[in-house]
Amino acid sequence: TEWSVIDQIRSGSDAPSSMVLINDLLKRYWKPVYCYLRRKGADNERAKDLTQGFFQEIVLGRSLVEQADKSRGRFRTLLLTALQQYVAGIHRKESTHKRMPRGGVIALDQLEADEIPEAPAHFSPEESFHYAWAAQLLDQLLEEVEAKCRTEGKALHWQVFHDRVLRPILENAPAPSLAELCQKHGIESVSQASNMIVTVNRRFRAALKRHIRRLVVQDDDVDEEFRELIELFARGSAR
């Protein structure tokens, strides 16, 4: 779980291994931090600079990961609170920049705009942070489920799911009918196409809950986190 990783870092028994784990957490959370700063009004370059400063001064400099306490709730919430406090005291940025390693702690120089999840315009900076985190998780899950389908000889299942469910969402277009999908992919019946979609959908939901379980302390928190993710995307598509 995410907290077990943090516990390993806190133990500090193996410094090189701890740094690897810390770097993994940084890669997981820099996009949410960057999106929060952009929504707060920072332009691209300033947001990248402040992202580097936050991770260098707060996360690494003040050992935020090592001091994280799971009794206080989710690590994501702790990180967001620290980010809000960092932005409130932004006058420290200049001294932070002087102490920053050359190139920063995260490779942002080659950052492309299309790599950043674009939160809905009506989202607050806090909602943009959570949205970027969730969008990154969603991309990871879709890649995982697609790869599993292809490995198990269910590439057609994935394609039908993609055409019926994913493409309409991504392209904001009407979903094709099951009959159209049957004709396009040579599927014998509408019920068979429907079963394919159900199969992939179940795998996706199972993968999502499996990933969520790694982020929470108790199994009882899985359903709550799952509902929050669904509500977040629902709010994003409501306007």
Side-chain angles (χ1 to χ4, degrees):
T1 70
E2 191 165 78
W3 279 112
S4 65
V5 169
I6 291 172
D7 286 341
Q8 291 180 53
I9 295 171
R10 186 186 295 113
S11 70
S13 56
D14 186 341
S17 297
S18 293
M19 201 60 230
V20 170
L21 295 173
I22 290 176
N23 286 335
D24 182 63
L25 286 176
L26 298 186
K27 291 177 183 178
R28 189 178 306 173
Y29 283 105
W30 76 259
K31 286 184 180 180
V33 169
Y34 173 87
C35 288
Y36 172 90
L37 293 166
R38 288 302 305 270
R39 189 50 55 90
K40 290 291 283 188
D43 62 23
N44 177 50
E45 290 305 315
R46 183 166 174 76
K48 289 195 291 185
D49 195 30
L50 294 179
T51 297
Q52 295 282 12
F54 171 70
F55 281 113
Q56 176 64 20
E57 180 181 358
I58 306 301
V59 178
L60 297 179
R62 299 188 183 178
S63 303
L64 184 69
V65 176
E66 291 88 335
Q67 297 175 21
D69 183 357
K70 59 186 174 184
S71 67
R72 296 169 58 188
R74 292 173 295 194
F75 177 72
R76 188 168 82 254
T77 302
L78 172 65
L79 193 71
L80 177 57
T81 300
L83 177 60
Q84 292 168 326
Q85 294 172 349
Y86 173 74
V87 172
I90 208 64
H91 64 275
R92 295 172 297 187
K93 173 184 174 293
E94 292 301 329
S95 59
T96 300
H97 184 74
K98 293 176 183 177
R99 297 196 304 272
M100 190 182 304
R102 189 171 184 177
V105 294
I106 304 172
L108 301 182
D109 291 342
Q110 305 301 318
L111 178 64
E112 299 293 338
D114 58 3
E115 296 178 12
I116 304 300
E118 184 175 354
H122 62 279
F123 269 20
S124 68
E126 290 75 17
E127 288 174 322
S128 297
F129 173 92
H130 291 299
Y131 184 88
W133 173 84
Q136 185 169 262
L137 174 61
L138 179 62
D139 287 343
Q140 180 182 350
L141 289 174
L142 291 176
E143 289 181 5
E144 178 182 312
V145 173
E146 179 181 5
K148 188 175 180 69
C149 285
R150 295 189 183 282
T151 299
E152 297 180 355
K154 289 183 168 55
L156 182 57
H157 287 61
W158 171 260
Q159 193 60 54
V160 172
F161 175 79
H162 178 273
D163 292 353
R164 174 74 171 181
V165 179
L166 290 185
R167 181 175 291 162
I169 295 174
L170 297 175
E171 300 179 2
N172 193 24
S177 67
L178 292 176
E180 290 173 324
L181 291 176
C182 287
Q183 183 175 10
K184 176 181 178 180
H185 296 292
I187 300 172
E188 293 183 359
S189 66
V190 166
S191 61
Q192 183 180 357
S194 178
N195 288 336
M196 288 178 170
I197 294 171
V198 170
T199 296
V200 179
N201 185 56
R202 285 175 177 168
R203 292 190 176 196
F204 174 78
R205 292 176 71 89
L208 176 57
K209 288 201 170 187
R210 185 169 61 252
H211 277 265
I212 289 175
R213 191 169 286 108
R214 298 171 184 170
L215 305 175
V216 298
V217 178
Q218 301 178 7
D219 288 343
D220 293 343
D221 297 329
V222 172
D223 289 339
E224 179 182 355
E225 181 87 336
F226 183 83
R227 284 193 299 271
E228 288 184 11
L229 283 174
I230 299 302
E231 290 172 3
L232 180 65
F233 282 112
R235 291 200 306 274
S237 61
R239 300 185 186 182

